[in-house]
Each structure stands twice: as C-alpha cells, then as structure tokens.
Amino acid sequence: MDLLLVRHGVSEHNTSDIISGGISNPNLSQTGVKQVEEVSKLIDNSKLDRVYASPLIRAKRTAQILTDFQKDIITDDRLREMDFGSWEGQHAEELKIKYPDAFDDLGTINSKYAEYAESGETFSQVAERVEEFLSEIQPDANDKTIMIVCHGFVIRSLIARWFKLKIEDVMTVRNVSFTELHFEKNDIERPRLMTFNRAEPLYYGIKR
C-alpha cells in the first residue's frame, strides 16, 4: 500500500491562534482555500485509488478541493484530530504562559499537555485509533495508492509511533503538506518513510 498523509489547509482557527482539535470544527480560511487550490494543480486523480478524510470540515473540504471534486471522499471518525479536552477553543498563547512545560521551544504542544487538559487524548491514543482504521482498510488496499486528508497531530502521532520516536522529536506538520509512506503487503506496523512534510508529493499521486 502506498499512502499519502495530507494535513488540511489553513483553517479559520489556525489564523486566530485557537487550539482546534477533534471537537472544534472551523472551516478553511480564504487563504486556506487558495492554498489548497494551488496544490490541487499538482495532483493526478487517476493515480489515487481511494481518498479518505477526517469528517471535520477543514479536512473534508481540503480533500474535495485537492481532487477537484472528482473523487468520492470517504470519512471516518478515527481520522479526527486529537481531542484536546478542556483546551479546545482556547488561545494557545495564554496556555503557553500558564503551562510552559506543555509546549516545546517552537511553541508546539507536547505530550505533557495531557497532564493539564481535562479529558484530553494522548498521542498514543490518537495513533492507536488511526492504526485500527488502517488495519481495516489495508487487506483491500495492498496494491493501491491511498490518500488520507487529516490533521497535524494525527500525522505526528503516527510518525512517532511507527518510527519509535518521542512526539517531541517530530516537527510540526505544515498545512497542505504531504507525507508519503509505503507498506509491504499485510504489514501495517513497519512502513517505509518515503517523504515527510513536503509541499507536494514526490512519489505518489503527483502529475508528471
């Protein structure tokens, strides 16, 4: 299975410094829409066998625009962004002042955040639910190219889990970036990392 993980375009919360996870559902901003439209010119829909997305509007709309509304977008709740619990909808800068050890030097939420956010998911919990989803689809996708449009913390969680890294060792995933992986037949636990956090895909789904 060849897999493209894509983060959604810039959302209205991204531009307002608001933490939006699996509960928050902002739309793409105008900048985000234009950004995705530009990247869509690079995508060859004929090379994508199936497209999945988080049901959150910022991800689903990104998937629709990326594929010029020519592909059926299959949504699954397990692809939602990490649920930040009581931190959902709060301004990140205020939380950085109150809980500085829950953020890294670049201002990104780290694993300690779960000690302060009530009912917040951990990175491991996010990776486990997405791995469950991938295990379900892989038997019918061993020889296919799959695109999944989801969220930054989902992608970081998966990369950390698959490659045995601390989440703090995986950089922030940019909006409308592509992370490409290859899975051997029936092996969902040992992917080959082809590219990470690129502005356009290099191997899968790109126009040549």
Side-chain angles (χ1 to χ4, degrees), residues 1-16:
M1 178 172 71
D2 297 323
L3 179 64
L4 288 87
L5 295 175
V6 188
R7 188 187 176 195
H8 62 81
V10 176
S11 75
E12 293 168 345
H13 282 186
N14 291 149
T15 58
S16 303

Side-chain angles (χ1 to χ4, degrees), residues 80-142:
R80 285 176 176 266
E81 178 61 294
M82 185 160 71
D83 183 346
F84 291 105
S86 59
W87 280 25
E88 290 270 348
Q90 295 198 48
H91 286 277
E93 285 303 320
E94 296 174 4
L95 292 169
K96 288 176 190 176
I97 294 171
K98 193 171 183 180
Y99 309 107
D101 61 333
F103 295 82
D104 63 23
D105 289 345
L106 299 177
T108 304
I109 292 172
N110 65 33
S111 56
K112 285 190 176 181
Y113 105 93
E115 298 176 13
Y116 307 111
E118 295 179 13
S119 302
E121 275 189 295
T122 66
F123 288 100
S124 292
Q125 288 172 329
V126 174
E128 285 170 7
R129 61 173 159 85
V130 181
E131 278 191 328
E132 178 186 89
F133 164 79
L134 290 171
S135 294
E136 278 186 18
I137 69 168
Q138 193 184 35
D140 188 42
N142 275 315

Side-chain angles (χ1 to χ4, degrees), residues 1 131 134-135 138 162 183-184 186-191:
M1 178 172 71
E131 278 191 328
L134 290 171
S135 294
Q138 193 184 35
W162 282 333
F183 294 83
E184 295 295 323
N186 297 323
D187 187 354
I188 202 66
E189 296 180 357
R190 293 187 304 161

Side-chain angles (χ1 to χ4, degrees), residues 145-159:
T145 298
I146 306 296
M147 183 164 77
I148 296 178
V149 183
C150 51
H151 306 272
F153 284 93
V154 170
I155 296 171
R156 290 180 72 215
S157 298
L158 286 171
I159 295 299

